[in-house]
Amino acid sequence: MKRNIEIRLGFHERDRNAVAILYAQAFFRKFEKVIGKPQEVVALLERGLNPDYCLCAYDENHHLLGIAGFHIGKKALIDLSLSDFITVFGPVKGVAKALLAGILFHRAAKSKQELLMDGIAVEETARGTGVGTLLFQGLFDLAKERGFSSIALDVIDENPKAKALYLHLDFKANQYTRIPWPISSLIGVTGVTHMVHSFIPIKVPAKLMGIKALVVLFILVGAFVLWRFDTMDLHAHKHVEISFESQENQLYGTLYLPKNEGPYNIVFFVHGDGPQDRTGAGEYHFIMNALLREGYACFSYDKAGVGASEGNWLKQNMTDRSTEVLEAIHVIKENVEINKIGVMAFSQGGWVVSELALVDAPVDYYVVIGGAIDWSDQHLYYSTQQAIKRGYSEAETEEYLAYIETGNRFIAIGDYDSYRQWVENHAYGTPMSKDRFEFALLNQEANAINGIYAIDVPFLGLFGENDLNVDSRESYETYRAIFEQTGHTHTKLYMVPSANHELLNERYNQKRHRLTLDAFLIGDKIYAANAIEWILEFLSQF
């Protein structure tokens, strides 16, 4: 039975979601890499659709069959603002995606006499019924009524059927643009043909090479920015939210799963000092992505009082933190099928590993990065490095370290008022907060030695050659000597050349301000050579 099809300007407001879905399905190749998943594309388009700049096809039951969008001046069917991007994606990703979309998808008519199409989409059940042809005829009539001399559109190489249809409708190829790499790889389009249907004979304008080169440059810059943002993001195939209770605090984390199915080899990330969230404010992304690419799952949680987690990490000692790890492992095993689970601990996390080893935790291996041995010795080493950084003479260094030792004695007896007065009477810096003071009091006797003796599972230790936070040589030699005494041979210890405390290239000891920019530009090359490779090599045996 033949449908009665009506072509009208605009769409019913009730059809806004249907229009967004139809348009997203038709042009998902175009949107996928820049905007994201289908539901994200629909959510964004639904906010920016302008019904004044489209023709719609409806059947006799008022069912939407197709849509044809167009540009007039600066207005178009898709009329997105920065606030739309921010609402859908949040402030950081929203601004980045808006910038890239503006660069990659910007289109404008070549003259005021040209009506530029903004895409045509026909519902799957209505294809082959003449809906597309009727929409084009409606556009031709609209263009003539409004005094346009031509209609233009762009068609990609990857859509030869559409190009054949446009040729049949008397569109002529006006200009071809080859999409350069990496844009072509990024958006899946190798070339675009600009086609024009003229109502009166018009002279094809000469190519404006300078403008074209500038546009290509903007596209290349946009593609590079998008590519770099993508490499900095976390690329888990699936996220499993995990919550668990420990010491009356509800803690929250995420299990990041690779593409392969379980049972999984899970690497449990244990934070170092500070208010760390589950991704270490994004600093874990490069290591996590390297692990995920090799098929390892990663788990990390927000420290107590950070992100979604309850409590206060400054009220904890290393035993408290090891208890959290044990509770989390128990809950993880209830949620996913596990092959192996190991701990990767950073800095202070080395003391957490020591506590885990003392209770024979159900862990298959340990990786410790930049772990210290003794709390007080570590603080003295760090203070010595600070004196060197400040350019103190030998005498000034001795005076500064004496000042530090006196402050440590106040910490040892828990006398915050005397500590604060001592610091305020000297010009070296400001006092730590009372919470931080109590954290130091709780952990002042932390020492990894007994726990190292108890380690009986495979172990990897990585120590930066130029670590300014921890005496890496002392740590390396202590682990080596104890493992030699215990006869534990399933161990690997590396003094990583040109590496700092975090295994980053040592240049970031002096140029920390460059780290974010360098991470954007060169990705995981911010790490010292072989640092990530040695981690993967060790894990490959499990």
mmCIF file with all atom_site columns, all heavy atoms in Angstrom, residues 33-45:
data_model
loop_
_atom_site.group_PDB
_atom_site.id
_atom_site.type_symbol
_atom_site.label_atom_id
_atom_site.label_alt_id
_atom_site.label_comp_id
_atom_site.label_asym_id
_atom_site.label_entity_id
_atom_site.label_seq_id
_atom_site.pdbx_PDB_ins_code
_atom_site.Cartn_x
_atom_site.Cartn_y
_atom_site.Cartn_z
_atom_site.occupancy
_atom_site.B_iso_or_equiv
_atom_site.pdbx_formal_charge
_atom_site.auth_seq_id
_atom_site.auth_comp_id
_atom_site.auth_asym_id
_atom_site.auth_atom_id
_atom_site.pdbx_PDB_model_num
ATOM 1  N N   . LYS A 1 33 ? 34.346 9.074  16.625 1.00 0.00 ? 33 LYS A N   1
ATOM 2  C CA  . LYS A 1 33 ? 35.650 9.301  17.248 1.00 0.00 ? 33 LYS A CA  1
ATOM 3  C C   . LYS A 1 33 ? 35.720 10.622 18.011 1.00 0.00 ? 33 LYS A C   1
ATOM 4  O O   . LYS A 1 33 ? 36.448 10.737 18.984 1.00 0.00 ? 33 LYS A O   1
ATOM 5  C CB  . LYS A 1 33 ? 36.755 9.269  16.182 1.00 0.00 ? 33 LYS A CB  1
ATOM 6  C CG  . LYS A 1 33 ? 36.928 7.914  15.518 1.00 0.00 ? 33 LYS A CG  1
ATOM 7  C CD  . LYS A 1 33 ? 37.394 6.873  16.516 1.00 0.00 ? 33 LYS A CD  1
ATOM 8  C CE  . LYS A 1 33 ? 37.550 5.510  15.879 1.00 0.00 ? 33 LYS A CE  1
ATOM 9  N NZ  . LYS A 1 33 ? 38.609 5.441  14.892 1.00 0.00 ? 33 LYS A NZ  1
ATOM 10 N N   . VAL A 1 34 ? 34.943 11.621 17.553 1.00 0.00 ? 34 VAL A N   1
ATOM 11 C CA  . VAL A 1 34 ? 35.017 12.923 18.209 1.00 0.00 ? 34 VAL A CA  1
ATOM 12 C C   . VAL A 1 34 ? 34.010 13.028 19.352 1.00 0.00 ? 34 VAL A C   1
ATOM 13 O O   . VAL A 1 34 ? 34.339 13.473 20.450 1.00 0.00 ? 34 VAL A O   1
ATOM 14 C CB  . VAL A 1 34 ? 34.766 14.055 17.185 1.00 0.00 ? 34 VAL A CB  1
ATOM 15 C CG1 . VAL A 1 34 ? 34.743 15.412 17.887 1.00 0.00 ? 34 VAL A CG1 1
ATOM 16 C CG2 . VAL A 1 34 ? 35.833 14.034 16.111 1.00 0.00 ? 34 VAL A CG2 1
ATOM 17 N N   . ILE A 1 35 ? 32.766 12.587 19.099 1.00 0.00 ? 35 ILE A N   1
ATOM 18 C CA  . ILE A 1 35 ? 31.722 12.740 20.104 1.00 0.00 ? 35 ILE A CA  1
ATOM 19 C C   . ILE A 1 35 ? 31.700 11.567 21.064 1.00 0.00 ? 35 ILE A C   1
ATOM 20 O O   . ILE A 1 35 ? 31.676 11.733 22.280 1.00 0.00 ? 35 ILE A O   1
ATOM 21 C CB  . ILE A 1 35 ? 30.339 12.897 19.440 1.00 0.00 ? 35 ILE A CB  1
ATOM 22 C CG1 . ILE A 1 35 ? 30.370 14.056 18.432 1.00 0.00 ? 35 ILE A CG1 1
ATOM 23 C CG2 . ILE A 1 35 ? 29.267 13.136 20.501 1.00 0.00 ? 35 ILE A CG2 1
ATOM 24 C CD1 . ILE A 1 35 ? 30.756 15.378 19.007 1.00 0.00 ? 35 ILE A CD1 1
ATOM 25 N N   . GLY A 1 36 ? 31.689 10.325 20.543 1.00 0.00 ? 36 GLY A N   1
ATOM 26 C CA  . GLY A 1 36 ? 31.720 9.177  21.439 1.00 0.00 ? 36 GLY A CA  1
ATOM 27 C C   . GLY A 1 36 ? 30.701 8.116  21.095 1.00 0.00 ? 36 GLY A C   1
ATOM 28 O O   . GLY A 1 36 ? 30.402 7.873  19.923 1.00 0.00 ? 36 GLY A O   1
ATOM 29 N N   . LYS A 1 37 ? 30.130 7.504  22.107 1.00 0.00 ? 37 LYS A N   1
ATOM 30 C CA  . LYS A 1 37 ? 29.214 6.389  21.947 1.00 0.00 ? 37 LYS A CA  1
ATOM 31 C C   . LYS A 1 37 ? 27.878 6.862  21.374 1.00 0.00 ? 37 LYS A C   1
ATOM 32 O O   . LYS A 1 37 ? 27.538 8.039  21.476 1.00 0.00 ? 37 LYS A O   1
ATOM 33 C CB  . LYS A 1 37 ? 28.993 5.708  23.302 1.00 0.00 ? 37 LYS A CB  1
ATOM 34 C CG  . LYS A 1 37 ? 30.272 5.160  23.922 1.00 0.00 ? 37 LYS A CG  1
ATOM 35 C CD  . LYS A 1 37 ? 30.010 4.625  25.317 1.00 0.00 ? 37 LYS A CD  1
ATOM 36 C CE  . LYS A 1 37 ? 31.312 4.137  25.968 1.00 0.00 ? 37 LYS A CE  1
ATOM 37 N NZ  . LYS A 1 37 ? 31.090 3.671  27.357 1.00 0.00 ? 37 LYS A NZ  1
ATOM 38 N N   . PRO A 1 38 ? 27.094 5.928  20.772 1.00 0.00 ? 38 PRO A N   1
ATOM 39 C CA  . PRO A 1 38 ? 25.810 6.320  20.173 1.00 0.00 ? 38 PRO A CA  1
ATOM 40 C C   . PRO A 1 38 ? 24.919 7.108  21.117 1.00 0.00 ? 38 PRO A C   1
ATOM 41 O O   . PRO A 1 38 ? 24.322 8.118  20.721 1.00 0.00 ? 38 PRO A O   1
ATOM 42 C CB  . PRO A 1 38 ? 25.181 4.972  19.792 1.00 0.00 ? 38 PRO A CB  1
ATOM 43 C CG  . PRO A 1 38 ? 26.339 4.064  19.565 1.00 0.00 ? 38 PRO A CG  1
ATOM 44 C CD  . PRO A 1 38 ? 27.382 4.481  20.551 1.00 0.00 ? 38 PRO A CD  1
ATOM 45 N N   . GLN A 1 39 ? 24.804 6.669  22.377 1.00 0.00 ? 39 GLN A N   1
ATOM 46 C CA  . GLN A 1 39 ? 23.925 7.376  23.304 1.00 0.00 ? 39 GLN A CA  1
ATOM 47 C C   . GLN A 1 39 ? 24.428 8.778  23.612 1.00 0.00 ? 39 GLN A C   1
ATOM 48 O O   . GLN A 1 39 ? 23.635 9.694  23.877 1.00 0.00 ? 39 GLN A O   1
ATOM 49 C CB  . GLN A 1 39 ? 23.738 6.577  24.602 1.00 0.00 ? 39 GLN A CB  1
ATOM 50 C CG  . GLN A 1 39 ? 25.011 6.319  25.409 1.00 0.00 ? 39 GLN A CG  1
ATOM 51 C CD  . GLN A 1 39 ? 25.679 5.009  25.041 1.00 0.00 ? 39 GLN A CD  1
ATOM 52 O OE1 . GLN A 1 39 ? 25.579 4.547  23.901 1.00 0.00 ? 39 GLN A OE1 1
ATOM 53 N NE2 . GLN A 1 39 ? 26.340 4.378  26.004 1.00 0.00 ? 39 GLN A NE2 1
ATOM 54 N N   . GLU A 1 40 ? 25.770 8.967  23.558 1.00 0.00 ? 40 GLU A N   1
ATOM 55 C CA  . GLU A 1 40 ? 26.328 10.300 23.776 1.00 0.00 ? 40 GLU A CA  1
ATOM 56 C C   . GLU A 1 40 ? 26.060 11.205 22.583 1.00 0.00 ? 40 GLU A C   1
ATOM 57 O O   . GLU A 1 40 ? 25.768 12.394 22.744 1.00 0.00 ? 40 GLU A O   1
ATOM 58 C CB  . GLU A 1 40 ? 27.829 10.192 24.037 1.00 0.00 ? 40 GLU A CB  1
ATOM 59 C CG  . GLU A 1 40 ? 28.185 9.489  25.340 1.00 0.00 ? 40 GLU A CG  1
ATOM 60 C CD  . GLU A 1 40 ? 29.670 9.268  25.518 1.00 0.00 ? 40 GLU A CD  1
ATOM 61 O OE1 . GLU A 1 40 ? 30.352 8.999  24.503 1.00 0.00 ? 40 GLU A OE1 1
ATOM 62 O OE2 . GLU A 1 40 ? 30.150 9.344  26.667 1.00 0.00 ? 40 GLU A OE2 1
ATOM 63 N N   . VAL A 1 41 ? 26.167 10.648 21.373 1.00 0.00 ? 41 VAL A N   1
ATOM 64 C CA  . VAL A 1 41 ? 25.866 11.416 20.161 1.00 0.00 ? 41 VAL A CA  1
ATOM 65 C C   . VAL A 1 41 ? 24.409 11.862 20.188 1.00 0.00 ? 41 VAL A C   1
ATOM 66 O O   . VAL A 1 41 ? 24.091 13.024 19.923 1.00 0.00 ? 41 VAL A O   1
ATOM 67 C CB  . VAL A 1 41 ? 26.150 10.575 18.897 1.00 0.00 ? 41 VAL A CB  1
ATOM 68 C CG1 . VAL A 1 41 ? 25.717 11.345 17.646 1.00 0.00 ? 41 VAL A CG1 1
ATOM 69 C CG2 . VAL A 1 41 ? 27.622 10.206 18.811 1.00 0.00 ? 41 VAL A CG2 1
ATOM 70 N N   . VAL A 1 42 ? 23.494 10.938 20.521 1.00 0.00 ? 42 VAL A N   1
ATOM 71 C CA  . VAL A 1 42 ? 22.065 11.273 20.568 1.00 0.00 ? 42 VAL A CA  1
ATOM 72 C C   . VAL A 1 42 ? 21.799 12.347 21.612 1.00 0.00 ? 42 VAL A C   1
ATOM 73 O O   . VAL A 1 42 ? 21.076 13.324 21.356 1.00 0.00 ? 42 VAL A O   1
ATOM 74 C CB  . VAL A 1 42 ? 21.223 10.014 20.854 1.00 0.00 ? 42 VAL A CB  1
ATOM 75 C CG1 . VAL A 1 42 ? 19.764 10.388 21.125 1.00 0.00 ? 42 VAL A CG1 1
ATOM 76 C CG2 . VAL A 1 42 ? 21.302 9.036  19.689 1.00 0.00 ? 42 VAL A CG2 1
ATOM 77 N N   . ALA A 1 43 ? 22.372 12.189 22.805 1.00 0.00 ? 43 ALA A N   1
ATOM 78 C CA  . ALA A 1 43 ? 22.146 13.169 23.882 1.00 0.00 ? 43 ALA A CA  1
ATOM 79 C C   . ALA A 1 43 ? 22.607 14.559 23.473 1.00 0.00 ? 43 ALA A C   1
ATOM 80 O O   . ALA A 1 43 ? 21.942 15.566 23.772 1.00 0.00 ? 43 ALA A O   1
ATOM 81 C CB  . ALA A 1 43 ? 22.869 12.719 25.149 1.00 0.00 ? 43 ALA A CB  1
ATOM 82 N N   . LEU A 1 44 ? 23.749 14.635 22.771 1.00 0.00 ? 44 LEU A N   1
ATOM 83 C CA  . LEU A 1 44 ? 24.270 15.931 22.339 1.00 0.00 ? 44 LEU A CA  1
ATOM 84 C C   . LEU A 1 44 ? 23.421 16.521 21.221 1.00 0.00 ? 44 LEU A C   1
ATOM 85 O O   . LEU A 1 44 ? 23.035 17.698 21.279 1.00 0.00 ? 44 LEU A O   1
ATOM 86 C CB  . LEU A 1 44 ? 25.724 15.773 21.873 1.00 0.00 ? 44 LEU A CB  1
ATOM 87 C CG  . LEU A 1 44 ? 26.437 17.069 21.502 1.00 0.00 ? 44 LEU A CG  1
ATOM 88 C CD1 . LEU A 1 44 ? 26.596 17.958 22.736 1.00 0.00 ? 44 LEU A CD1 1
ATOM 89 C CD2 . LEU A 1 44 ? 27.803 16.779 20.893 1.00 0.00 ? 44 LEU A CD2 1
ATOM 90 N N   . LEU A 1 45 ? 23.115 15.714 20.197 1.00 0.00 ? 45 LEU A N   1
ATOM 91 C CA  . LEU A 1 45 ? 22.326 16.224 19.074 1.00 0.00 ? 45 LEU A CA  1
ATOM 92 C C   . LEU A 1 45 ? 20.952 16.698 19.528 1.00 0.00 ? 45 LEU A C   1
ATOM 93 O O   . LEU A 1 45 ? 20.442 17.714 19.038 1.00 0.00 ? 45 LEU A O   1
ATOM 94 C CB  . LEU A 1 45 ? 22.175 15.135 18.005 1.00 0.00 ? 45 LEU A CB  1
ATOM 95 C CG  . LEU A 1 45 ? 23.445 14.712 17.260 1.00 0.00 ? 45 LEU A CG  1
ATOM 96 C CD1 . LEU A 1 45 ? 23.121 13.645 16.233 1.00 0.00 ? 45 LEU A CD1 1
ATOM 97 C CD2 . LEU A 1 45 ? 24.099 15.905 16.592 1.00 0.00 ? 45 LEU A CD2 1
#
